[in-house]
Amino acid sequence: METEYETRPREAIARILRAEPRFFSAAELCARLDESGTPVSRATVYRTLERLAAKGEAALRLNDRGEATFMSCDNGHHHHAICRSCGRVEDVACGALDSFVDRLRSLHGFQLDEHSLEFHGKCRSCV
Amino acid sequence: METEYETRPREAIARILRAEPRFFSAAELCARLDESGTPVSRATVYRTLERLAAKGEAALRLNDRGEATFMSCDNGHHHHAICRSCGRVEDVACGALDSFVDRLRSLHGFQLDEHSLEFHGKCRSCV
DNA sequence: CGGTTTTTGAGACCGAGTCTCAAATCCCTC
DNA sequence: GAGGGATTTGAGACTCGGTCTCAAAAACCG
Ligand SMILES: [Zn+2]
Ligand SMILES: [Zn+2]
Ligand SMILES: [Zn+2]
Ligand SMILES: [Zn+2]
């Protein structure tokens, strides 16, 4: 079968992600891990992030350069408000979009089953 | 000064984009151009797409693998409904989101100035 | 401690996108 | 239509994020 081990690399990565509500690129994580004295190979960083995303414990986001970034994230459908200055992310409940979807179905004949929504701006401390 | 020339590569690319309301990757465009007998180098394809996007005549979208894709697109703020089966895209006017933004400003203290919204599903002909 | 399974790391590899610079093209003028 | 200066193009080297491989290391269990 497929038991799961708890390893130092995995714990170090989870610790960094949990400490800050923002998206990290794989490269950023590698750098942090090097600094903190528990270096982890790129391969392992990617594997761990992919695993967290699959379990729904991390959100995957492609930044504007197409690079994958990850953030510790609760399960359940919601959206993100991202500070373009410091990177801080706040969760945003998804309301008001259902009526939108209904209207689209009748207006365009599109059967929508998914959407993505993202806000950008400046957070309290960066204004 | 910086005059702009009208060249065969640019016209061939624009023609392909205008013919279908969907996003094309650079690789896809290269293939199409090869088939249609007017091959264009990758470098030129990228340059032309970047130029169209800068002029607001094309929309840039990163697909789920992080690859840049482009679509002939009108100016002005709106969103897209994308068919996950055939790729057809329909424009969606942006309403109902302003109230959202206002609520977020007071609720989170976030000063939002931009958002991205995208719908996925099946279009009329693909249901 | 063994023995078994899972995980890790170094580095080869891949593919999208960028850069370079000489050659080709465009366009304007005569 | 030929000449000439400005712009664009293309082949291919290059960069860099991400994946893959496989032997060595670590985790777990009794
Ligand atoms: Zn901020
Ligand atoms: Zn939503
Ligand atoms: Zn369709
Ligand atoms: Zn909008």
Side-chain angles (χ1 to χ4, degrees), chain A residues 100 117, chain B residues 77-79 92-95 97-98 114-117:
Chain A
F100 228 82
L117 172 57
Chain B
H77 178 76
H78 63 274
H79 301 287
V92 175
C94 174
L97 241 49
D98 290 340
E114 208 174 296
H115 64 258
S116 67
L117 172 57

Side-chain angles (χ1 to χ4, degrees), chain B residues 1-2 5 7 10 41 44 47:
Chain B
M1 50 203 66
E2 286 211 354
Y5 293 170
T7 68
R10 287 178 181 175
S41 72
T44 296
R47 281 184 293 230

Side-chain angles (χ1 to χ4, degrees), chain B residues 19 38 62 85-86 115 118 127:
Chain B
T38 43
L62 300 176
S85 168
C86 72
H115 64 258
E118 207 170 77
V127 171

